Amino acid sequence: MKKILVTGSSGFIGRKFLSLYNNEFDLIGLDTNYYLGSQDFDPKINFIKKDIRNINSSDLKGVDVIVHMAELCNDPLSELNPRLTYDINVNATQKLLEIAKDSVKKFIYMSSCSVYGKSSNQFVDENSNVEGLTEYSKAKINNENFILNNNFDDMEIIILRNATVFGSSENIRLDLVVNNLIYFGLINGRIELQSDGTPLRPLIHVQDVCGIIKTIIRSDKKFDKEIFNNGSTLMNYSVKEIANKVADSLGIDVILPNKKDIDQRSYRVNFDKLEKFFHYEFVHDLVSGIEEIKSFIHNNNEFNYGFRLQVINNLIKEKKLDKDLYWV
């Protein structure tokens, strides 16, 4: 069995990946556990409780593949302190890459389609220009450039520019557009958008993100610093279209203010390259994903960790984290 180190293993995607593939790989999780919540970590999985900034070569002993997710995970959180975002998302990631190149065979870096910034209605692909509109996307671009412009010996590196993720997980996020609309639609009995709903977002279900990671780990193809948009071309929607799909499923109304969104990110993404290389069959479309999330929310009653920025602010307020986001 290949030994896989999953950094950010207690997060939204990380927990899903570990729950799906614990029996297929020799998994090691590494996380500082800001968002672990009330769920117990699977005792069958090797786990290192450590801030990614403190990782060292001994943590990589015997590791064949690294799936790197351990970065501050969204725009609001990354804007909280740009210096910290750079330290965690850029410096720590680049330190990990340098350590890993001496022994690790494959490195999967989780980037984001948010690197495309604002591309109007034109489809963008892996060769399109990138534009960081937020600290989060600027950090992703910085790391991509670091990978592309440096030598990592024989370590194979794949960059996944993930579409906006949705779906359920043992550590669900509710600050992502589809999950957020469903959650508040169920609570409020209506959906109130904060803009005219015109920004475009490509979507991908968390189970499919994990399935594609697994496919890449299993692949015998040899990639040299290859970038893949991660998602399906059929899953490009405007925020308004997503809201209407959710509203139809919940049997509620959408209230649409006539004002522009202050969030200027908008991109329609082409995923043909991913399809060409891997022929992955997606498990969920938007409609089936909405039904899956509805069922998950109905069957669970604790979502205290669903809003990541709120969790971090509370931990700082309670003096459990210091100003540099280290545990006290």
Side-chain angles (χ1 to χ4, degrees), residues 163 166 201-205 208 231-237 271 282 284-287:
F166 69 107
R201 294 287 186 278
L203 303 174
I204 184 170
H205 192 279
D208 288 313
S232 166
T233 304
L234 297 175
M235 292 272 279
N236 284 284
Y237 293 93
F271 299 95
F282 285 82
H284 283 289
D285 59 16
L286 178 55
V287 173

Side-chain angles (χ1 to χ4, degrees), residues 291-302:
E291 296 306 314
E292 183 255 355
I293 300 162
K294 277 170 51 182
S295 176
F296 180 86
I297 291 174
H298 279 307
N299 292 322
N300 291 272
N301 54 21
E302 183 181 335

Side-chain angles (χ1 to χ4, degrees), residues 15 42 166 219 311:
R15 288 299 297 273
D42 190 334
F166 69 107
S219 176
V311 172

Side-chain angles (χ1 to χ4, degrees), residues 2-5 63-67 104 106-108 217:
K2 290 184 178 180
K3 182 175 281 190
I4 315 296
L5 174 66
V63 169
D64 298 298
V65 180
I66 294 176
V67 183
V104 174
K106 184 176 292 190
F107 191 109
I108 300 173
I217 292 172

Side-chain angles (χ1 to χ4, degrees), residues 264-281:
Q264 292 298 302
R265 293 173 304 146
S266 183
Y267 31 86
R268 192 186 302 273
V269 181
N270 179 292
F271 299 95
D272 289 350
K273 182 178 177 181
L274 186 84
E275 167 61 23
K276 175 184 174 183
F277 277 86
F278 298 110
H279 308 292
Y280 177 81
E281 293 188 15

Side-chain angles (χ1 to χ4, degrees), residues 52-108:
I52 190 64
R53 290 170 286 184
N54 295 330
I55 199 165
N56 56 59
S57 57
S58 65
D59 299 317
L60 309 187
K61 187 175 181 180
V63 169
D64 298 298
V65 180
I66 294 176
V67 183
H68 181 47
M69 310 186 196
E71 297 180 353
L72 295 178
C73 61
N74 61 21
D75 292 327
L77 186 54
S78 297
E79 300 292 339
L80 181 67
N81 185 326
R83 177 185 64 82
L84 280 179
T85 298
Y86 193 88
D87 194 30
I88 296 170
N89 291 20
V90 177
N91 289 339
T93 291
Q94 295 180 9
K95 173 187 173 184
L96 175 60
L97 282 159
E98 290 288 356
I99 295 172
K101 71 180 182 181
D102 293 330
S103 59
V104 174
K105 299 178 180 67
K106 184 176 292 190
F107 191 109
I108 300 173

